[in-house]
Amino acid sequence: MTTDQGLGIRSSMALRTLYQALLDSDPARLRTIANLWKIPLTTTRKTDLAAEVMAGMVSSEAVSGVLEMMSQEQRAALDELLRHGGALPWAVFVRRSGEVRNLGAGRVEREELWREPVSPAEALWFMGMVQRAFAEQNDQAVEMAFVPEDLRLYMPEPSEIEI
C-alpha cells in the first residue's frame, strides 16, 4: 500500500491487471490499441482479443517501441502518472493532461480518432497505456487513471521534475 502525500490517495497500485482492464474495454478499443502497438489479431471474440492485445503489449521491445513514438507531451503525462506510483484520480489526470472524450466505439473506428487525439491523456488512453478503474479512497470509490503494473515493469523510471 502506498500513499501519495500531495493527494491523500491510498491504493494498492495494483488496481487491475492489464488483462482485467482490457476485458473491460470494448472490441473497438482493443482493435485501436492493437493497431497502435502493431499487434496482429487473429480473433474477434472479446476475451481472445484482450488476451492477444495483452500478449502483444507486455514485453520490453513493445513498450520501448510505443514510448519512442510518443510526443513529449504524451511522455510528460505518462511520467506524471509514474511519479505518483502509476495512478492518479481520473479527474486529476484529465485536469493535468487534457480531456478524454467519451466516444462511441463505432465513431472511434469509423473516424480513426486515435490519429488525432485532443490531448496527451486521450492519446495515452487510445494507446492503452492508461486504464481506468475504481479504488477506495477515504471510504469512497474514486475513479483512477493508472498504468498497469504489467506495463510499468518495462518502463524506465521517470525523470524528476526540475524546479
Side-chain angles (χ1 to χ4, degrees):
M1 172 118 36
T2 63
T3 301
D4 185 309
Q5 299 301 327
L7 300 171
I9 302 162
R10 288 185 346 232
S11 77
S12 66
M13 290 301 107
L15 292 166
R16 301 178 63 107
T17 66
L18 177 60
Y19 181 66
Q20 290 168 329
L22 292 173
L23 279 176
D24 286 343
S25 298
D26 61 63
R29 180 166 186 249
L30 295 173
R31 288 188 293 272
T32 297
I33 294 168
N35 180 315
L36 291 169
W37 286 68
K38 299 176 181 29
I39 300 167
L41 297 175
T42 62
T43 187
T44 56
R45 255 185 67 212
K46 184 178 172 180
T47 54
D48 296 337
L49 277 173
E52 282 186 347
V53 170
M54 184 210 62
M57 293 174 80
V58 291
S59 74
S60 61
E61 296 82 22
V63 171
S64 292
V66 171
L67 291 175
E68 287 175 16
M69 74 176 208
M70 286 183 188
S71 70
Q72 287 182 336
E73 294 82 13
Q74 293 163 1
R75 186 60 192 263
L78 178 63
D79 284 351
E80 172 81 6
L81 272 173
L82 295 174
R83 278 191 288 277
H84 288 89
L88 280 171
W90 184 260
V92 172
F93 174 66
V94 297
R95 185 173 57 244
R96 293 179 180 178
S97 301
E99 78 172 300
V100 176
R101 296 173 288 181
N102 190 9
L103 302 162
R107 182 174 176 206
V108 171
E109 280 194 306
R110 186 174 54 256
E111 297 178 25
E112 298 183 344
L113 295 175
W114 65 86
R115 295 186 187 276
E116 294 187 34
V118 297
S119 69
E122 188 171 84
L124 294 173
W125 174 254
F126 284 144
M127 286 177 210
M129 282 290 204
V130 171
Q131 303 293 328
R132 293 168 95 161
F134 284 89
E136 191 167 309
Q137 177 184 351
N138 301 327
D139 297 324
Q140 293 183 358
V142 175
E143 188 174 26
M144 302 292 287
F146 71 101
V147 180
E149 179 72 22
D150 316 53
L151 296 178
R152 284 192 292 141
L153 291 171
Y154 301 105
M155 292 182 187
E157 288 293 318
S159 60
E160 292 299 317
I161 296 177
E162 294 183 22
I163 300 173

